């Protein structure tokens, strides 16, 4: 996708702050420090459009990035940060569920997991949420450059098994070191925009 103009439209905490343009939205979910900001910056060909919080897990906003007044890439707040209080966790859960359940322009939520580790209980819960609200599960396995070649197949198989992924689901290896994963994600977004990536 050729990107000309990108802007952060809003960092929202309530539905009445969400954009009302009706543009299709593609959201990214994952635990704190999984690499969502790095993925979004790579997709946007920007170094610091999506900024990493100085305190992981403390940023509890939904960030809408406008791409050429055509679509939004949506950065959902990270989960699984141990020092988040019970009240903060409950607030996060309500915000996430409200967005996933009720956001009409949302086309697909894409789950990010760390390719180096077995998906966590929170990852499994998020995968179940995504399955509930979407037709298929799309997972991006981040930080693959930190794996040895001999580890890749077994790690991807573990992610697939742990998240109970099926034949219609998609697993995309990603690293900021090259563009292959970026192009794959963009290809999927373009296909979903055109209605070409659907379940038969």
């Amino acid at each position: 996708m050729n990107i000309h103009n990108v802007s952060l439209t809003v960092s929202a905490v309530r539905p009445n702050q969400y954009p009302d343009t009706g543009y299709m939205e593609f959201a990214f979910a994952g635990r704190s420090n999984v690499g969502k900001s790095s993925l979004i910056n790579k997709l946007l060909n920007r170094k610091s459009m999506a900024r990493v919080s100085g305190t992981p897990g403390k940023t509890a906003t939904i960030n809408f990035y406008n791409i050429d007044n055509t679509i939004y890439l949506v950065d959902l707040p990270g989960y699984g940060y141990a020092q988040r209080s019970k009240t903060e966790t409950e607030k996060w859960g309500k915000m996430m569920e409200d967005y996933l359940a009720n956001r009409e322009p949302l086309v697909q939520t894409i789950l990010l997991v760390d390719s180096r580790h077995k998906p966590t209980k929170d990852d499994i819960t998020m995968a179940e949420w995504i399955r509930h609200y979407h037709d298929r599960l799309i997972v991006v396995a981040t930080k693959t450059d930190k794996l040895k070649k001999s580890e890749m197949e077994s790690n991807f198989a573990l992610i697939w098994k742990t998240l109970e992924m099926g034949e219609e689901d998609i697993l995309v290896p990603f690293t900021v070191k090259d563009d292959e994963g970026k192009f794959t994600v963009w290809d999927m977004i373009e296909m979903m925009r055109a209605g070409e990536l659907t379940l038969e």
Side-chain angles (χ1 to χ4, degrees):
M1 182 174 183
N2 293 321
I3 298 173
H4 301 288
N5 296 299
V6 178
S7 62
L8 173 59
T9 298
V10 66
S11 295
V13 295
R14 296 184 301 276
N16 63 3
Q17 297 174 326
Y18 299 165
D20 60 3
T21 58
Y23 300 152
M24 289 182 179
E25 294 173 8
F26 299 88
F28 298 90
R31 67 176 181 81
S32 300
N33 289 330
V34 75
K36 282 192 290 94
S37 295
S38 296
L39 172 62
I40 290 172
N41 285 330
K42 187 75 171 179
L43 291 173
L44 300 180
N45 296 321
R46 304 294 193 275
K47 289 186 177 180
S48 59
M49 176 61 69
R51 299 195 177 184
V52 179
S53 171
T55 306
K58 287 296 187 181
T59 302
T61 60
I62 298 178
N63 299 323
F64 293 81
Y65 295 94
N66 181 323
I67 314 300
D68 290 328
N69 291 324
T70 56
I71 64 171
Y72 285 106
L73 298 188
V74 183
D75 186 7
L76 299 174
Y79 54 77
Y81 184 59
Q83 296 184 31
R84 179 177 277 152
S85 70
K86 182 179 179 181
T87 300
E88 288 175 320
T89 301
E90 290 173 351
K91 181 180 177 182
W92 174 90
K94 185 178 186 309
M95 182 191 305
M96 291 286 285
E97 193 156 20
D98 283 348
Y99 177 77
L100 291 173
N102 302 314
R103 186 62 174 163
E104 190 172 335
L106 176 61
V107 175
Q108 179 71 44
T109 304
I110 297 170
L111 176 63
L112 276 66
V113 298
D114 190 326
S115 65
R116 300 171 297 175
H117 308 295
K118 180 179 179 179
T120 66
K121 289 182 179 179
D122 289 328
D123 291 328
I124 295 170
T125 298
M126 180 55 68
E128 290 171 350
W129 277 16
I130 293 172
R131 278 198 192 89
H132 182 74
Y133 295 114
H134 301 295
D135 290 331
R136 63 153 48 88
L137 180 64
I138 298 177
V139 178
V140 173
T142 64
K143 307 181 183 182
T144 57
D145 57 295
K146 300 182 184 298
L147 292 177
K148 298 177 182 176
K149 287 186 177 180
S150 59
E151 297 174 321
M152 288 188 178
E153 185 175 348
S154 61
N155 281 39
F156 296 154
L158 181 61
I159 292 169
W160 195 276
K161 180 180 179 181
T162 304
L163 297 180
E164 298 182 351
M165 298 177 71
E167 61 181 21
E168 298 291 348
D169 297 329
I170 300 172
L171 178 62
V172 181
F174 174 78
T175 170
V176 295
K177 301 294 185 181
D178 62 46
D179 289 333
E180 184 175 352
K182 177 184 79 170
F183 291 143
T184 300
V185 173
W186 268 128
D187 285 345
M188 288 192 301
I189 289 174
E190 291 290 351
M191 291 174 71
M192 285 186 280
R193 284 182 67 194
E196 296 172 355
L197 186 61
T198 58
L199 296 179
E200 297 297 333

